[in-house]
Amino acid sequence: MKQSRLIVLIALAFLAACRPALGEIAPTIAPTAGAPTADVPTGAPATAALTPAEPVTPTDEPSTPPATDATAPLFDIDPFDRSPFAAGLISDEVGGDALPGAPVYHMAITIDPSMTLITGRQTVTYTNNESVDLNEAYFHLHAKTLDGDITVSAVTVDGAPAAAEVVGDMLRVPLAAPLAPGDVTTIDMAFETTVPTDIGRNYGVLAYYDDILALAHFYPMLAVYDEEGWNTTAPDVQGDLTYSDSAFYLVRVTAPDGLALVATGSIVDETVTDGTQTLTFAAGPARDFYLVAGDFAVVSETVGETTINSYAPPDMADGAAMALDVAAAALESATERLSAYPYRELDIVTTPTSALGIEYPGLIVGTVNMYDISATTSAGVPYEAILESTIAHEVMHQWFYNLVGNDQLDEPWLDESVVGYSTYRYFVDRYGQDVGDNYFQNFLGRWDRVERAEIPIGRPVAEYEGAEYSAIVYGRGAVFVRELEEAMGREAFDAFLRAYVTRFRWDVATTADFRAMAEEQCGCDLGELFAKFINE
C-alpha cells in the first residue's frame, strides 16, 4: 500500500465508532477477546530438553471415542517428554530446561458432525511450583460463561476417583493428599462441551456460526495459583477471559473429513479413516489451545524460520493475501524491536466474531467482514485500513499476552495498552514517523469517547463501565506508553522493552514489574507518570 493512500485510510479510520456489531465493523482496534490458556506422581523423571522427534503415535485407534477408557493413557509418551514440541519451535527455543514445571495437557477430542458438540478427555500433569502445600486444584469451565455448556465426569487424581464439584463456572478438584512444593500430580477427566450457535458473550469466541466453528476455551482450563491463592476471578462480558500460565498441549482432534482444521501449534500426526480425519497438534509453551474448523483456502509466506498461513473463505482471497502481507511486516517489526518470534508457524484465520481481532498462541483471528477489502463501512471507511491495523495489533499480542503473560482480567493494560503502542510502532517502522503519528490519532480519538476523562488505566476489566474499557485501556493506555517512551527516550525505552520481554519470557509480569524494569533502565523515578495514568 502506498504511504499517501495509507495516511488517508487511517485518517478516516480513527474517526469511526468503537465496538462493532456483526454487520457494522468499526474501523479502530476493537477490544480483543482472549485473548486469549490435571497432573503426575511424586518423583517424576527429569524433564528432557527439546529435541526433534518422530510424529506422536496415538495409543487408541482414531475412531475410538476419547473418553471410553479412562485408565489408558491418551498418548504413548511421557508427559515430561518435550520432544513432540520441538518441531514447532524455532532453533533458539529448542533445548534448555524447557519449562520443567509447566503444566502439560494431553487431550483427545471428537467434533460431532453437528459441529455443536465436543466430547473429550484430558490428562493434566501439574507440578506444584508454589512455596506451600496445595490441597485442591481449580479449573475454569469457560464454556458455561460463553453461553454454551460443559459437563465433566470421571475425574481422577493420580488414578483414584476424586469428588470433584462445580462451583459457579469453576471445577474444584480435591487432591488425595497435600501436594508439597516440587511434587507432581495427575488429574484426568472426561468432558462434553455444547457450542452456542450464535454470536453471544465475549464476541462469540466459542460459537458455530455461518458454517465456521470457533473453539475457544472449550476444555476445563487450569486456573493460575498466584499470591492470592487459586485465582478464580470470573471474566467480565467484555475483554479477555483468560489468565493462564504457559503450558504444553498435545491434542488429538477427530472431526468430519473435508474441514480445514486450524489450531494452536503444529500438526505432528494425521490420518483419514471412513469419512473422519484425526490430527494431533503439539503446542507449547503456550497459554491456551484454540481451534477453528471451516471451509478455507490458504496462502502462505515464510519469514525467517516462521511460515505464516492466512486462511479465509475462498471468495476472500484478496483479504487473505493482504492479511498475510501485514502479518509478515508486523512479525519483522516486532522481531527487530523486541525478540524473536518463538514458533515456526503463525496462523491467521477468519471467523464471524463481533470483535475485529482476537489473539491466541501462534494464531490470530480476524472477523470475516473486514476481509472484503474492496468494500467500506457505512461510515465510508475502507475495510483494508481496518484489516491492516487489526492484523498488526493481533500479531503484537504474540509478545504481550503469550510470550509475556499478565493477568488479563485484573491488569488488562499490560497487554492491550502495550500492544496498542506496539501497533503504532509497526506503522512507524513500515511507513515512517509521519504515518505512525497519523495512526496514533486513533488512540486519542478513542479516549475522546469519554471526553478524555482521567480514569486510571490500571483497573480490572470489570471496573470499567460502558465505553470506558475501550476508551481507557486501549485509548488512554496507548497514550501512557507513548508518554513513557518520550520520558525515557526511544532508544532507552526500546532497550527496556527488550529486557522486559527477555526477563518475563513465558512468565507472568505485573504492573510493579513493568515499572521496576523501566526505572532500572532509565535510572529515574517514574512514580509521577505512573500515578498520573495507572494508579487511583
Side-chain angles (χ1 to χ4, degrees), residues 130-182:
E130 314 309 321
S131 58
V132 297
D133 290 356
L134 300 178
N135 297 305
E136 57 194 2
Y138 280 87
F139 292 79
H140 293 279
L141 302 178
H142 286 306
K144 292 172 126 356
T145 304
L146 293 169
D147 297 333
D149 198 12
I150 181 169
T151 57
V152 179
S153 61
V155 180
T156 63
V157 176
D158 297 333
E165 61 176 336
V166 175
V167 181
D169 289 350
M170 301 291 300
L171 179 71
R172 176 185 172 273
V173 180
L175 303 181
L179 188 68

Side-chain angles (χ1 to χ4, degrees), residues 35 292 323 358 376 411 415 440 515 519:
V292 177
I358 308 170
T376 61
E411 294 186 305
D415 63 299
F440 196 81
R515 176 181 169 181
E519 290 183 333

